[in-house]
Amino acid sequence: MSFWPIVLIGLAIAMAVGPIMLMQPSNRDKRLADLRQKAALAGLQIRMSDYDQGDQKITVAIYSCHADLPKHTPTWSLLRRSYEHEIHFYGVWEWQSDKRVASKNTDKLRGFLDKLSDDIVGVAVNEKSVSVWWKEKPSEITVDHIKGLLDEIATIAA
């Protein structure tokens, strides 16, 4: 008996099963899907955006929630940069708009920025929502933690 039919059958099975196995989501994809589903169930909106991290662009998730802020609340956003500069709002936090009025509570905002994890690379406020820009790396940060950060930003911006 020849072994060639067995080899050919084995190759045919591998060619049929291989592409199916490649279509399976990775562990990272499963973790992000679970994280984003929990965020959506908690009432957060998620969108993706490019972020300049030094000399490279990465994609980050922007987690937002509705906030009941006073009418005519200034719209502003701050992004973390890899360097400090005197025109930045505070340390490595750079303005992303021409309006450089973040809040009446700038001391509270600076304290808030000091305690943020390096995975949080942006903070934004407008009349209807507050947002954080998050790299979504595996860390101690959870959806509840993000929700708490958004609530704190809304309190500072009010």
Side-chain angles (χ1 to χ4, degrees), residues 50-60 80-82 118-119 121 135 137:
D50 287 335
Y51 168 70
D52 290 324
Q53 184 178 20
D55 57 347
Q56 65 180 359
K57 272 192 179 187
I58 61 170
T59 301
V60 296
R80 185 188 303 262
R81 296 298 177 206
S82 58
D118 290 342
D119 289 343
V121 294
K135 291 182 184 177
K137 290 184 176 178

Side-chain angles (χ1 to χ4, degrees), residues 125-145:
V125 171
N126 64 36
E127 277 187 18
K128 298 180 190 222
S129 68
V130 292
S131 307
V132 293
W133 296 41
W134 183 25
K135 291 182 184 177
E136 292 182 314
K137 290 184 176 178
S139 66
E140 70 282 349
I141 297 177
T142 63
V143 171
D144 292 334
H145 182 78

Side-chain angles (χ1 to χ4, degrees), residues 104-157:
K104 296 172 258 179
N105 303 321
T106 55
D107 289 335
K108 285 184 181 179
L109 181 58
R110 287 182 174 133
F112 172 78
L113 295 173
D114 278 338
K115 69 180 186 178
L116 289 179
S117 163
D118 290 342
D119 289 343
I120 305 294
V121 294
V123 178
V125 171
N126 64 36
E127 277 187 18
K128 298 180 190 222
S129 68
V130 292
S131 307
V132 293
W133 296 41
W134 183 25
K135 291 182 184 177
E136 292 182 314
K137 290 184 176 178
S139 66
E140 70 282 349
I141 297 177
T142 63
V143 171
D144 292 334
H145 182 78
I146 293 292
K147 185 84 166 128
L149 291 176
L150 292 170
D151 291 342
E152 193 171 346
I153 295 167
T155 302
I156 292 169

Side-chain angles (χ1 to χ4, degrees), residues 2-158:
S2 174
F3 71 94
W4 286 109
I6 296 171
V7 170
L8 290 174
I9 291 171
L11 285 173
I13 291 172
M15 290 182 70
V17 173
I20 294 170
M21 295 305 291
L22 289 174
M23 291 190 303
Q24 296 294 318
S26 68
N27 288 338
R28 178 182 181 276
D29 291 340
K30 289 176 187 176
R31 181 185 63 79
L32 289 176
D34 183 51
L35 183 70
R36 292 173 185 166
Q37 182 177 14
K38 287 178 183 174
L41 292 173
L44 303 179
Q45 295 84 36
I46 304 149
R47 69 188 200 293
M48 306 306 289
S49 180
D50 287 335
Y51 168 70
D52 290 324
Q53 184 178 20
D55 57 347
Q56 65 180 359
K57 272 192 179 187
I58 61 170
T59 301
V60 296
I62 301 175
Y63 284 69
S64 304
C65 74
H66 178 74
D68 291 321
L69 297 174
K71 200 169 192 170
H72 304 296
T73 296
T75 297
W76 55 268
S77 60
L78 294 166
L79 291 182
R80 185 188 303 262
R81 296 298 177 206
S82 58
Y83 58 91
E84 289 189 34
H85 197 279
E86 62 271 358
I87 63 171
H88 288 174
F89 167 68
Y90 178 62
V92 295
W93 292 93
E94 179 184 37
W95 292 107
Q96 294 304 299
S97 64
D98 292 336
K99 295 180 184 177
R100 291 186 157 91
V101 179
S103 168
K104 296 172 258 179
N105 303 321
T106 55
D107 289 335
K108 285 184 181 179
L109 181 58
R110 287 182 174 133
F112 172 78
L113 295 173
D114 278 338
K115 69 180 186 178
L116 289 179
S117 163
D118 290 342
D119 289 343
I120 305 294
V121 294
V123 178
V125 171
N126 64 36
E127 277 187 18
K128 298 180 190 222
S129 68
V130 292
S131 307
V132 293
W133 296 41
W134 183 25
K135 291 182 184 177
E136 292 182 314
K137 290 184 176 178
S139 66
E140 70 282 349
I141 297 177
T142 63
V143 171
D144 292 334
H145 182 78
I146 293 292
K147 185 84 166 128
L149 291 176
L150 292 170
D151 291 342
E152 193 171 346
I153 295 167
T155 302
I156 292 169

